[in-house]
Amino acid sequence: MSALGVADISGAMDRMYRRQRHIYDLTRKYYLLGRDELIAGLKPPAGGAVLEIACGTGRNLIRAAQTYPEARLYGLDVSEEMLTTAREHVAAAGLAGRVSLARADATDFDPSALFAVKAFDRVFISYALSMIPAWERAAEEAAAHLAPDGVLHIVDFGDQGGLPSLFAATLRGWLARFSVTPRLELEPMLRRLAAARGLRLEFRPLYRRYAYLAALEANT
């Protein structure tokens, strides 16, 4: 948990997205790269439970529900403003019966209380760890709610090490305006988490380290 309380973080997110939520998907599709690759790799079992942490406008949940028609989809977010948009989008897509949404803190949540689900076959976090102050705790909490054969998938900004330095510096400055901080320690943190929980980590860069795609899965 960060020094800020849940109510503080929730309020800050609501203020940030009160207007942005209306154009969020249109603007973010150009630089939140790798989201659809993550969704294509979920491959939950038939009837499996899939959770998105920090689900935002519901864009990814809708895509996942359409890709995996037998899966049960769940999403949580700390911002009620974003959840309002997510509910609208889910309903418009005709998926209100398959996608459940709830307001919760990514660093501390009870899926049984929120969704009447004890654990998830797949959990994914898309471009959210770079916005969550206690991001390491959020990753740990996500892994804690995996089913025995579950997999945690993550996509987020990389260190841009393979990109031209001017472009990378400009990108980092622009992201900072939206309280986005690429987590340069993501790989070693996930390796520690994998070792602690007996998971196998797959971690690879995308687009010259513009982003990283990771999966932590049970060793079978």
Side-chain angles (χ1 to χ4, degrees), residues 35-112:
R35 294 181 298 173
D36 291 340
E37 187 170 350
L38 179 153
I39 292 169
L42 290 175
K43 299 178 181 177
V50 179
L51 170 69
E52 181 177 16
I53 294 175
C55 63
T57 65
R59 181 264 186 198
N60 295 329
L61 283 172
I62 292 170
R63 181 65 64 91
Q66 293 169 338
T67 304
Y68 306 106
E70 295 183 353
R72 296 170 290 137
L73 283 296
Y74 304 88
L76 63 85
D77 202 287
V78 75
S79 170
E80 187 60 39
E81 293 287 342
M82 289 298 250
L83 286 171
T84 295
T85 296
R87 293 184 187 104
E88 293 170 354
H89 289 178
V90 167
L95 294 168
R98 288 187 52 218
V99 179
S100 299
L101 302 170
R103 188 177 190 178
D105 175 17
T107 68
D108 185 15
F109 62 92
D110 180 357
S112 294

Side-chain angles (χ1 to χ4, degrees), residues 160 166-180 182:
Q160 294 88 48
L166 179 59
F167 176 86
T170 301
L171 175 63
R172 287 192 293 270
W174 188 77
L175 292 175
R177 295 177 57 192
F178 298 94
S179 301
V180 175

